[in-house]
Amino acid sequence: MECYNCGAKLTAAKRCKNCGADVRMYRRILMASNSFYNEGLERAKVRDLTGAADSLKVSLLYNKMNIDARNLLGLVYFEMGETVSALSEWVLSKNYKSRENAASHYLNEIQNNSSRLEAINQTIKKYNQALAYCRQDSRDLAIIQLKKVLSLNPKLVKGHQLLALLYMQEGKYDLANKALRNAAKVDANNTTTLRYQNEVKQKLQENNSKKKKKDDLISYQSGNDTIIMPANFKDNSAWQTILNIVIGVALGIAITVFLLLPGIRQKSKSESNEALKAVNDTLSTKEQTISSLESKVKELTKEAKEAKQSSESVESKMTSYEQLLNSFASYAAGDMETAGNALESIEVSDLSDSAKTVYNEVYAKVNEQYLSTLYQEGYSAYTKGDYTQAIEKLLKVAELDEKYQNGNTVFYLAQSYRRADNMEDAVVYYRKVLEQSPGTERARVAKIYVDQADREASASQQ
């Protein structure tokens, strides 16, 4: 255990021997974090993944640097099929501890497996499409899409739950119960799954009771005997039996007269019609086959384009995360220029909320030192007469903060352009000196060159 103030190793004493900081409360916080981590680990072992995730989140609230808790939370998310959340946790873990961290192994396993990345992309795309079908009340299409999702990612708990919900809306409670059992195999104590199972159980019991009522038997006493028979049983008398036989014979004769005889007459005509129908069916089948193949070609072309776009999006996100890691590593090594360049190449929209937090922290720490380093390098190059290098460095500072060093940045940038025989750009920054630092010596020098440029422009127009 290290001191939160100075980083020295702590002993059993109440205060740090190196800096004297009171570490009693700090110890309690770390112990609480470890306690919730152990609780999350125990729950994960019995497949209570939802409970494990809740415990691990509390553990990280107490100590965000608890690497074991963060890595385990990523594994829990991955086991539940939520791969994006798992990657976010592992990237954060790698930022906090870059060496000897299991998160690096997990990230490499996914990044180096192109087929797994493709499966993840397809799962996300098809699950979102299923949600869109649900919003459009197209439950049949949503069910088909979810089956494809679960074939790619059988551990996606949310997918099983949504499929069960659709089956419940369709009244197919047996299939809903099966989907919920599959969800429970992944996450045994998920409250949403348990709630759905309870509702399905009640509906199945109601359906079974209704079915039994239809099959109920009735019984009555006849002397010393108990007679049991179906509720809808009717005891016809002898004359009713004879009447039923007569009616049946009459119906048979009527069927023979009105159905069989006309059928014989039309036999020859039917044979010719059937032959013509067979020819028409053959032609129709071929046309349908051609149309179906054309439709499939269009669908496959569309899916290929979407897959390419999705792959490019994932590659862009992974590049942003990699640049974020590079900037953090460069900052830790004291290379502020490299860290600043890495931050400039990051697409902030590609980062998750937790990754944006890391980005903002690194940016705030690097920006000031980055500007200071660039300014010192630019000013040093200016004093040495290397105006090309001075323009390159000072221009970066001006793009980020034109008023840096109380206006000295734009002044020396203008001077560098002038001495590099680029008066056009020099005048642009001399004008900015006049706007930002009126009444100063810098402004007096800038005005000389601005007036000179204006006179030359007026003379060229005449």
Side-chain angles (χ1 to χ4, degrees), residues 142-160:
I143 289 173
I144 293 172
Q145 202 71 7
L146 282 172
K147 288 181 178 178
K148 293 179 181 179
V149 170
L150 295 174
S151 66
L152 293 172
N153 188 359
K155 294 183 178 181
L156 185 58
V157 176
K158 291 181 179 178
H160 289 295

Side-chain angles (χ1 to χ4, degrees), residues 226-422:
T226 300
I227 305 301
I228 301 175
M229 63 180 182
N232 297 325
F233 177 78
K234 293 183 179 179
D235 187 11
N236 294 324
S237 60
W239 66 271
Q240 288 178 330
T241 302
I242 295 172
L243 180 60
N244 289 336
I245 293 173
V246 172
I247 292 173
V249 172
L251 288 173
I253 294 172
I255 292 171
T256 302
V257 172
F258 292 103
L259 296 179
L260 297 182
L261 291 179
I264 294 172
R265 292 175 183 175
Q266 295 180 356
K267 182 178 180 181
S268 58
K269 190 181 291 184
S270 298
E271 290 176 352
S272 61
N273 290 337
E274 288 177 0
L276 180 61
K277 182 179 179 182
V279 174
N280 291 333
D281 289 343
T282 302
L283 293 175
S284 177
T285 301
K286 290 182 178 180
E287 291 176 355
Q288 290 178 355
T289 301
I290 293 172
S291 177
S292 176
L293 290 174
E294 291 176 348
S295 176
K296 287 182 178 179
V297 169
K298 292 180 180 179
E299 183 178 355
L300 290 173
T301 303
K302 181 179 179 181
E303 289 183 358
K305 291 181 179 179
E306 292 177 352
K308 183 178 179 181
Q309 293 174 355
S310 178
S311 177
E312 292 174 352
S313 175
V314 171
E315 184 177 353
S316 174
K317 290 183 179 180
M318 295 305 294
T319 300
S320 294
Y321 278 107
E322 192 67 28
Q323 290 299 327
L324 181 59
L325 293 174
N326 291 339
S327 67
F328 187 86
S330 299
Y331 166 72
D335 188 356
M336 297 303 150
E337 184 173 358
T338 303
N341 292 332
L343 286 174
E344 290 179 357
S345 63
I346 293 173
E347 287 292 335
V348 181
S349 59
D350 290 338
L351 302 178
S352 65
D353 292 340
S354 55
K356 286 178 182 177
T357 301
V358 176
Y359 170 84
N360 292 333
E361 292 178 358
V362 175
Y363 183 84
K365 294 176 180 177
V366 168
N367 192 44
E368 182 177 355
Q369 297 185 37
Y370 177 57
L371 289 176
S372 177
T373 301
L374 285 176
Y375 176 80
Q376 292 298 330
E377 291 176 354
Y379 180 76
S380 176
Y382 170 79
T383 57
K384 293 177 181 178
D386 187 0
Y387 302 115
T388 301
Q389 180 72 7
I391 290 170
E392 179 184 349
K393 300 296 182 180
L394 293 174
L395 184 59
K396 287 184 179 181
V397 178
E399 288 175 348
L400 295 173
D401 185 4
E402 287 186 351
K403 297 182 180 180
Y404 189 74
Q405 287 291 327
N406 296 323
N408 282 333
T409 298
V410 292
F411 176 74
Y412 288 118
L413 180 58
Q415 292 283 77
S416 299
Y417 273 125
R418 179 176 63 80
R419 296 188 178 185
D421 295 328
N422 186 351

Side-chain angles (χ1 to χ4, degrees), residues 61-183:
L61 283 177
Y62 281 108
N63 180 15
K64 68 178 182 180
M65 300 292 291
N66 192 334
I67 301 302
D68 291 335
R70 195 171 294 279
N71 289 344
L72 180 57
L73 181 58
L75 289 173
V76 170
Y77 280 141
F78 189 80
E79 185 66 15
M80 295 171 69
E82 299 179 16
T83 310
V84 175
S85 298
L87 290 173
S88 298
E89 296 299 332
W90 290 333
V91 168
L92 282 174
S93 175
K94 189 175 179 181
N95 288 336
Y96 290 136
K97 183 181 178 182
S98 59
R99 296 182 178 179
E100 297 181 359
N101 190 342
S104 301
H105 172 71
Y106 302 149
L107 290 171
N108 291 335
E109 283 290 323
I110 295 177
Q111 292 174 357
N112 296 333
N113 192 335
S114 58
S115 61
R116 177 174 290 183
L117 278 176
E118 179 64 21
I120 292 171
N121 293 337
Q122 291 295 324
T123 300
I124 295 171
K125 182 179 70 175
K126 292 182 182 297
Y127 183 76
N128 290 335
Q129 184 62 55
L131 290 177
Y133 285 144
C134 290
R135 295 188 186 99
Q136 298 168 8
D137 201 24
S138 300
R139 290 196 288 267
D140 292 340
L141 294 176
I143 289 173
I144 293 172
Q145 202 71 7
L146 282 172
K147 288 181 178 178
K148 293 179 181 179
V149 170
L150 295 174
S151 66
L152 293 172
N153 188 359
K155 294 183 178 181
L156 185 58
V157 176
K158 291 181 179 178
H160 289 295
Q161 291 172 345
L162 182 56
L163 181 61
L165 191 59
L166 291 171
Y167 279 141
M168 290 165 65
Q169 290 179 339
E170 294 287 332
K172 300 176 181 179
Y173 294 104
D174 290 335
L175 295 176
N177 194 31
K178 182 179 179 182
L180 292 172
R181 284 200 303 269
N182 291 332

